[in-house]
Amino acid sequence: EMHLLESGGGLVQPGGSLGLSCAASGFTFSSFAMSWVRQAPGKGLEWVSTISGSGGNTYSADSVKGRFAISRDNSKNTLYLQMNSLRAEDTAVYYCAKEDDQSDAFDIWGQGTMVTVSS
Amino acid sequence: DIQMTQSPSTLSASVGNRVTITCRASQSISNWLAWYQQKPGKAPKLLIYKASSLESGVPSRFSGSGSGTEFTLTISSLQPDDFATYYCQHYNSYSWTFGQGTKVEIK
């Protein structure tokens, strides 16, 4: 069974940094693009960043460009999101998601990890 | 950037009702559209991809249609497990955009 498990969320002060991880199992991790999607409390879904299967290509939303960095370690079946210069508006549940290579939809999601940016 | 607009924002319905949710794109997106269901405190679940293809394991009462700029998600006979928020999503040029969501409530 395909499974994603996020970790690393927590409370951080504005301007601070935090790193998230997403451990994958049940599929050939290196064959699929992976993404981070976030959801602020009581709000809708917002795409954050995507990385290709090889890790050679990355894409990010304008709202996080230059502050967040997505990466992956295919030897460890793990996806990462390094978040710097955090702002209050980055407060959200962060989900990792696997991209289906035929439809570009997100077919497998983790349970999410909460990031709170507050002083 | 392509904008995705869902309607209605909230929908009240009874068990057994036929329910339709609309998603409109600000420009033509062919059939690059997905639908997700999300329950409180849970991750989204993929229901429909490429506008009308049913994801494996999703009940057949869910269906999607449309192409170009207008798309619909239909639940043919609403079940108690279907009360949730539904999102459309578009992929274009290495950017993914979600609609604002439609909450389906019990009437």
Side-chain angles (χ1 to χ4, degrees):
Chain A
E1 181 184 358
M2 292 181 279
H3 192 63
L4 298 171
L5 182 63
E6 302 94 337
S7 60
L11 175 64
V12 60
Q13 292 188 337
S17 298
L18 197 64
L20 305 182
S21 299
C22 171
S25 59
F27 62 97
T28 305
F29 183 67
S30 60
S31 296
F32 297 96
M34 296 293 296
S35 297
W36 290 97
V37 175
R38 68 184 180 184
Q39 186 170 36
K43 303 297 184 182
L45 301 169
E46 179 189 15
W47 169 71
V48 173
S49 195
T50 294
I51 187 168
S52 63
S54 67
N57 295 293
T58 63
Y59 315 95
S60 294
D62 288 343
S63 58
V64 305
K65 210 165 283 185
R67 300 188 300 123
F68 290 12
I70 189 172
S71 63
R72 64 192 297 162
D73 185 336
N74 286 342
S75 69
K76 296 182 179 179
N77 289 348
T78 303
L79 174 73
Y80 303 99
L81 185 68
Q82 178 62 39
M83 303 183 292
N84 300 324
S85 303
L86 282 160
R87 307 166 180 166
E89 54 264 36
D90 296 318
T91 294
V93 175
Y94 284 73
Y95 297 101
C96 64
K98 169 188 167 291
E99 182 186 332
D100 177 75
D101 58 358
Q102 297 299 310
S103 67
D104 294 312
F106 299 148
D107 60 349
I108 304 296
W109 295 66
Q111 88 291 345
T113 187
M114 183 71 201
V115 173
T116 302
V117 183
S118 175
S119 55
Chain B
D1 291 355
I2 297 175
Q3 306 301 316
M4 308 301 294
T5 303
Q6 285 182 237
S7 61
S9 296
T10 306
L11 186 160
S12 296
S14 301
V15 172
N17 284 173
R18 181 182 181 88
V19 166
T20 299
I21 299 168
T22 298
C23 181
R24 289 186 174 88
S26 57
Q27 64 189 74
S28 178
I29 60 171
S30 184
N31 67 341
W32 291 104
L33 188 98
W35 289 97
Y36 299 85
Q37 176 194 66
Q38 187 180 33
K39 297 181 180 178
K42 300 294 186 182
K45 173 187 174 183
L46 178 64
L47 300 176
I48 302 284
Y49 60 93
K50 284 190 176 178
S52 60
S53 295
L54 191 69
E55 175 72 351
S56 176
V58 174
S60 58
R61 62 180 180 273
F62 291 93
S63 63
S65 64
S67 66
T69 62
E70 186 154 336
F71 302 84
T72 58
L73 172 70
T74 299
I75 308 173
S76 60
S77 177
L78 197 65
Q79 298 302 301
D81 191 48
D82 301 338
F83 292 96
T85 300
Y86 294 84
Y87 295 91
C88 63
Q89 177 210 38
H90 165 59
Y91 161 76
N92 178 58
S93 298
Y94 307 111
S95 177
W96 287 256
T97 304
F98 290 91
Q100 80 278 17
T102 295
K103 186 175 182 180
V104 177
E105 298 180 328
I106 300 173
K107 189 172 183 179

